[in-house]
Amino acid sequence: MPKWKSALIILSAMVSCWGLIPSVSAHDGEPNPPFDPTKVQITDDIPCFSKSLANPYGHPGYNPKLCGGLLSPKIATHTTGVHGGLIWKNDSEIPKYLLWFRHPEFRAEDVVSSEVLERLIDGDLPLPLGVTDAPRNPLTGRNEGAFRDPRSNFQGAVRQSYAWGMYGGFSIVGHGRSVARRIHLDRGIEDVQMWDLSHPLAFASEGKYDVAKMTEAGAHLNKSAFKDSGFSKGLRYNIYCPGQAKLADGRVVFVGGNNMNSNNGQYKVNIFDPETETWAPRATPCHRAAWAAAPHDDPFFEHLFAPLYEAFFDDPTNAAKKAALYFLPNCNPVTGGARATVTMEMGFPFIRYEGPTVTSPPDRSDMRYARWYPTALTLPNNKVLVLSGVDQNESLGTTKPTKIDPATGRKVLDLDPVSGYTKDALTDGPFRDSVIFQVVPEIYDPEADRTRALENARLISPVYPHAFPIQTGPGRDDWKVVVFPGSLLSSLGGDQGFGGFHDGKTWLFDVRAALADPKRGTPGEKHLTFVDSLGADNRMGTAELLEIDKKGKLLSHKIISFGGQIPDPANPDAVIATDQVKMIDFAEPNPHWKSQQPIYQAATNSKSTPLPDGTVIIGAGQGNPDPALEKRANLHFQLHNPADGTTKKLRVKSTVPRSSHGNIHLLPDATVMLVGDDHTNSVPVGDRVAPFGDPDLGVDTAEIYYPAYLFNADGSLADRPAIVEAPDEVKYGKDFHIEVEKGTRIKTVALIRTGLPTHSQSANIRYIKLAFEQDARKGELTVHAPVVPAQAIPGDYMLFVVDKNGVPSVAKHVRVPVMRNDDERHEHEKHEEDEHDRHEDERRAKR
Ligand SMILES: [Cu+2]
């Protein structure tokens, strides 16, 4: 029997208790502003969605079959799931879920002062010295708190020792501010969390559908299912917006990360091992080590730094003192060989340095190129392809003098009159001014623990390109990689002129040929073949589905894209969201993109995942700007059927939008989890409880969607087929057996690979429909396995059976191991590699 029962129990408990979930009134304070039901603007979709703030699915006539499924209340996730994915131990049936966001090697309280934050969020307590009173909202008269105003008082809550000592002097902007948590419980924990989905309280919630109503008490309900998994487990680098790929043995490879100067980790290959739940050893950057070793009574260096600040103010022209500022003894990039500049900004001395000499000590596995937002793709040979990503010209500094001083005619810093901060320092401006696109792919080889650059196959793509390995012949090594433009930041072309619309140019990349090319060190654009243009780029959800016949022949290999961006017909310099759905099938002789039925309204950042029955669920998406929440966010779930290209809008919908930082995951019990996004976005204007919106009210959440296939026509729970026996491993070309309960008629058998999606970039997840024969009398199925690794990339899979009524089983966890041959490489090829590797070692040592 599959060991996962808890989710089923939870599922049935939730359904049977529907409407009986007690609402917690303790700590359930007045919403902000006071709730006025006449101002609530939501579609009244009875009996599928009601205005009830306690439970929008609480109507007695609600039928999940007719309404397209059911949605759970919000579940606290304690950290933000910008990144996340199912992590499996070798022999476990229930995965864990690893999730994290910016500042992953720290705790929220390392970054911001809880006390200052409290005052900002509350809005009525006196503010500490140096933090200006935030502007008041003209509508509500209330202090805007920590977030809403762009001059954000949030910067006042940032520990300056963190900003300078750990963060390269950058202001903490955008998603970095999600450390400011309303829930006190979540402030002192690490920003990387491991969520044990098998824990009895993993999905416990206080039954609230509205984020604004979630409480501190509610957050405690499932906290015991979460465990710190960052610095305390060996993470030494920032893995915010890395590429992420899973190896055959379940380990997760992270390439690159946060594009901030200090402790950036952009060259790094970090590896997480689910067996030990620890990170592979990497040299610790000295400032992070110093932070960890700081005296107990001065954990944030504040006293340690104080004498240095004073010295600066006493003699601001003393260059030697300036250069020594903000770095602890033996942890100074200047003496470590990097160049530094100090300027006076934000009313404080401000240091910038160039060169990662000290903050990124070299490791053998380092990439040649620093990358933020790269794609990492597990290849059929269990190596990892790294594509795209950006670096930054660090020598430009965080801010530039841009304003002409009328008195002197010279350029000076453009200061915000209210906050006194430089305007640049309050935005991502410094990054955008100095972005460098990485065009050279690299391959990480886990056996050699090193990365090899493919200078010969340069490919221009916006970051987080979509990439999928496809089969090109009958042999083990007959595969190439499909690549099309990335999920975001195509607007960042920088000085290289790569900006603008990329038209979804779709390429076939012969990775093996590029690697074997004796001239792989010579810059070129070889080994890439143009296939077709998608006609949209940037920020679309995708789904990948294959079907294999009983002889191992590929019947179809479909890649489907949902929405994305197209040029704005009204403004040639801008892009807008599109509703287009397109499909390309690489089992066809001349694959090209074909239009399918569109999604119900234009959206970027659609979140999509294949389901066990071969359909694709689309949950959440970000529409074009509109004052109405339901117009600017696709709250309704949608079901795409790849068999006929139709896309159906379901009546079930969420109460919160999840934009580029949200994710969707199929879980082994055939339910679907929507998770993530910046919690500062989760109570937007148009919210049911707080119609004016309030970023301070945001809480990190997940929600579970129960697809209609789990229910009978009358709305009751359907009987599910059960996998009684199935192997732990599926080997290429080897038929295997599944035992189901006697008399159960099975319609389809599928393997679904699990991975770590982010930013609607869902590479590495694929649905594979397998041929089988069934002896229903005995309950036995003989299933024909994929025959080559291009059909089923080595790694963790969920094996599902679906019965004749369309009801899926709970999945059996199976691993697909690497397919090996004796003639791995020719000797001369090996020699070539050694030469390159030696060269790379020298280069790394010089950095
Ligand atoms: Cu992002």
Side-chain angles (χ1 to χ4, degrees):
M1 275 297 284
K3 286 172 217 144
W4 185 336
K5 289 194 192 128
S6 59
L8 286 173
I9 293 163
I10 289 158
L11 171 65
S12 52
M14 287 183 78
V15 174
S16 60
C17 297
W18 224 249
L20 299 175
I21 298 164
S23 64
V24 179
S25 56
H27 305 276
D28 196 0
E30 276 294 292
N32 173 22
F35 175 57
D36 178 358
T38 62
K39 294 221 167 76
V40 174
Q41 302 268 323
I42 52 172
T43 315
D44 202 3
D45 217 2
I46 288 174
C48 290
F49 194 84
S50 80
K51 281 181 179 172
S52 159
L53 291 180
N55 180 358
Y57 302 99
H59 190 279
Y62 187 87
N63 181 325
K65 191 73 171 182
L66 300 178
C67 295
L70 195 61
L71 199 63
S72 80
K74 302 287 177 289
I75 300 155
T77 59
H78 306 285
T79 191
T80 313
V82 173
H83 303 272
L86 302 181
I87 306 288
W88 309 77
K89 285 189 197 297
N90 184 30
D91 58 355
S92 74
E93 288 301 327
I94 309 175
K96 294 187 179 181
Y97 186 79
L98 189 71
L99 69 160
W100 72 99
F101 73 115
R102 190 168 256 168
H103 324 290
E105 74 283 43
F106 289 92
R107 303 171 306 149
E109 272 189 4
D110 295 339
V111 182
V112 284
S113 155
S114 200
E115 189 203 335
V116 180
L117 193 63
E118 202 51 41
R119 289 161 188 256
L120 288 171
I121 289 176
D122 183 278
D124 292 325
L125 290 169
L127 292 165
L129 206 66
V131 178
T132 50
D133 193 19
R136 286 177 184 270
N137 182 326
L139 289 172
T140 65
R142 282 185 64 104
N143 187 315
E144 286 296 7
F147 295 112
R148 195 183 293 166
D149 192 274
R151 290 167 299 222
S152 174
N153 260 313
F154 172 82
Q155 301 301 341
V158 174
R159 294 182 190 281
Q160 295 303 309
S161 51
Y162 180 87
W164 294 332
M166 305 296 131
Y167 214 54
F170 283 102
S171 298
I172 294 176
V173 297
H175 189 254
R177 303 194 300 174
S178 276
V179 283
R181 296 166 172 163
R182 165 161 76 87
I183 304 296
H184 295 223
L185 179 66
D186 298 346
R187 293 181 188 170
I189 62 173
E190 293 185 350
D191 284 344
V192 181
Q193 289 289 311
M194 179 73 89
W195 184 5
D196 181 355
L197 303 184
S198 70
H199 191 287
L201 296 173
F203 300 101
S205 83
E206 57 187 322
K208 301 265 165 76
Y209 280 87
D210 295 281
V211 171
K213 295 188 88 182
M214 294 177 79
T215 69
E216 188 79 31
H220 281 79
L221 295 174
N222 70 346
K223 179 63 181 58
S224 52
F226 288 78
K227 199 168 79 179
D228 282 354
S229 294
F231 190 79
S232 65
K233 300 291 180 185
L235 178 65
R236 295 295 176 260
Y237 283 96
N238 195 311
I239 50 161
Y240 184 61
C241 300
Q244 38 206 27
K246 287 178 70 185
L247 299 173
D249 60 5
R251 284 182 300 156
V252 191
V253 173
F254 300 78
V255 297
N258 190 41
N259 194 10
M260 292 289 183
N261 189 32
S262 176
N263 187 30
N264 53 45
Q266 279 179 268
Y267 291 95
K268 292 293 159 193
V269 176
N270 285 290
I271 298 175
F272 185 81
D273 186 343
E275 292 302 326
T276 58
E277 298 183 359
T278 58
W279 295 86
R282 293 286 178 260
T284 308
C286 64
H287 63 322
R288 186 61 184 81
W291 178 271
H296 188 67
D297 59 353
D298 187 17
F300 307 114
F301 299 1
E302 274 141 348
H303 296 114
L304 214 48
F305 273 111
L308 298 174
Y309 301 160
E310 279 159 25
F312 185 94
F313 286 115
D314 284 351
D315 181 9
T317 60
N318 186 323
K321 276 185 194 164
K322 283 183 197 171
L325 279 173
Y326 318 119
F327 293 96
L328 298 169
N330 307 318
C331 186
N332 186 332
V334 179
T335 53
R339 283 179 292 141
T341 50
V342 181
T343 52
M344 199 65 188
E345 292 166 27
M346 298 195 235
F348 293 102
F350 203 85
I351 193 161
R352 290 279 310 166
Y353 51 90
E354 182 188 11
T357 319
V358 172
T359 54
S360 286
D363 284 290
R364 175 187 166 84
S365 54
D366 287 355
M367 292 182 288
R368 179 179 289 177
Y369 296 96
R371 297 173 194 269
W372 184 43
Y373 288 120
T375 289
L377 178 74
T378 312
L379 297 171
N381 59 12
N382 200 38
K383 294 179 173 55
V384 176
L385 175 65
V386 180
L387 294 162
S388 189
V390 289
D391 192 7
Q392 179 196 8
N393 180 355
E394 296 178 352
S395 66
L396 293 180
T398 48
T399 63
K400 288 191 281 192
T402 52
K403 196 171 116 178
I404 308 286
D405 178 357
T408 63
R410 287 163 61 180
K411 275 191 180 170
V412 293
L413 294 173
D414 191 5
L415 297 178
D416 176 82
V418 175
S419 68
Y421 293 176
T422 62
K423 284 181 180 164
D424 246 10
L426 297 169
T427 68
D428 264 337
F431 307 140
R432 291 171 193 276
D433 292 345
S434 63
V435 156
I436 298 164
F437 268 76
Q438 302 299 19
V439 296
V440 178
E442 296 190 58
I443 302 229
Y444 174 69
D445 178 347
E447 280 175 33
D449 189 33
R450 64 189 322 149
T451 323
R452 299 185 175 109
L454 303 174
E455 298 285 353
N456 53 345
R458 298 186 169 203
L459 173 70
I460 296 165
S461 170
V463 297
Y464 275 148
H466 300 281
F468 309 86
I470 59 137
Q471 186 183 354
T472 55
R476 181 194 68 161
D477 297 328
D478 296 332
W479 53 267
K480 288 179 185 169
V481 172
V482 177
V483 186
F484 54 95
S487 66
L488 78 167
L489 299 186
S490 74
S491 56
L492 295 185
D495 299 336
Q496 290 157 297
F498 297 163
F501 184 62
H502 286 250
D503 196 33
K505 283 199 179 58
T506 306
W507 301 89
L508 257 191
F509 180 11
D510 191 343
V511 175
R512 291 188 75 254
L515 191 60
D517 184 347
K519 290 211 159 58
R520 90 165 149 87
T522 308
E525 292 169 26
K526 297 196 289 179
H527 311 293
L528 292 154
T529 313
F530 178 72
V531 178
D532 193 11
S533 279
L534 171 59
D537 70 12
N538 211 286
R539 298 174 181 241
M540 79 274 285
T542 61
E544 184 185 24
L545 302 101
L546 292 78
E547 183 171 358
I548 304 166
D549 78 5
K550 64 180 184 180
K551 293 203 171 122
K553 186 172 172 275
L554 195 63
L555 297 178
S556 66
H557 186 158
K558 293 179 179 177
I559 295 164
I560 310 169
S561 85
F562 301 99
Q565 288 184 342
I566 53 168
D568 182 352
N571 176 3
D573 294 331
V575 284
I576 53 166
T578 173
D579 60 2
Q580 79 164 35
V581 175
K582 284 198 176 176
M583 184 277 288
I584 190 166
D585 186 346
F586 283 93
E588 288 178 357
N590 292 303
H592 63 276
W593 289 105
K594 294 173 190 167
S595 290
Q596 313 285 296
Q597 185 178 351
I599 48 177
Y600 77 90
Q601 65 187 18
T604 59
N605 294 305
S606 290
K607 285 150 227 3
S608 45
T609 188
L611 296 178
D613 63 359
T615 58
V616 178
I617 193 75
I618 307 161
Q622 215 176 345
N624 286 312
D626 194 287
L629 180 60
E630 295 228 7
K631 288 252 168 73
R632 65 174 201 271
N634 289 15
L635 298 179
H636 282 271
F637 284 83
Q638 298 174 80
L639 193 66
H640 178 79
N641 184 0
D644 60 9
T646 56
T647 310
K648 196 162 111 188
K649 175 183 172 185
L650 305 175
R651 297 180 75 186
V652 60
K653 64 182 173 182
S654 183
T655 46
V656 295
R658 295 184 194 268
S659 57
S660 64
H661 286 157
N663 291 301
I664 196 166
H665 302 272
L666 173 67
L667 298 181
D669 67 347
T671 64
V672 174
M673 179 162 76
L674 268 180
V675 61
D677 203 14
D678 309 7
H679 66 227
T680 50
N681 292 341
S682 62
V683 182
V685 175
D687 184 85
R688 306 184 331 145
V689 172
F692 294 119
D694 188 343
D696 290 342
L697 282 176
V699 175
D700 295 313
T701 66
E703 54 205 310
I704 306 293
Y705 166 67
Y706 301 89
Y709 56 39
L710 296 174
F711 303 93
N712 295 317
D714 66 0
S716 60
L717 272 176
D719 284 339
R720 298 179 70 167
I723 296 176
V724 178
E725 196 76 58
D728 293 329
E729 250 185 23
V730 169
K731 293 192 175 129
Y732 299 110
K734 299 260 189 311
D735 290 356
F736 64 94
H737 299 284
I738 299 176
E739 194 189 326
V740 296
E741 283 162 349
K742 279 179 199 164
T744 311
R745 273 258 165 236
I746 298 303
K747 190 161 74 179
T748 58
V749 176
L751 284 168
I752 301 182
R753 195 172 189 276
T754 65
L756 289 87
T758 185
H759 292 74
S760 304
Q761 207 279 347
S762 62
N764 294 308
I765 294 170
R766 59 166 62 177
Y767 166 95
I768 307 158
K769 185 177 177 186
L770 300 173
F772 69 96
E773 288 94 41
Q774 182 180 15
D775 183 338
R777 199 170 32 87
K778 289 188 192 160
E780 253 184 41
L781 280 70
T782 302
V783 186
H784 306 288
V787 295
V788 287
Q791 293 174 346
I793 310 303
D796 287 309
Y797 283 81
M798 296 186 280
L799 174 67
F800 286 101
V801 297
V802 177
D803 73 12
K804 64 176 192 314
N805 301 319
V807 184
S809 66
V810 169
K812 167 82 176 72
H813 171 216
V814 302
R815 282 229 168 118
V816 176
V818 182
M819 186 180 197
R820 296 204 180 273
N821 272 6
D822 298 334
D823 56 316
E824 284 280 303
R825 281 190 301 186
H826 297 296
E827 275 312 301
H828 78 273
E829 249 183 73
K830 193 169 185 325
H831 174 73
E832 201 69 44
E833 293 300 335
D834 292 347
E835 279 296 298
H836 277 289
D837 291 348
R838 248 198 308 282
H839 189 74
E840 205 56 49
D841 284 341
E842 282 165 23
R843 186 193 190 105
R844 195 173 294 122
K846 275 194 223 128
R847 218 177 63 212

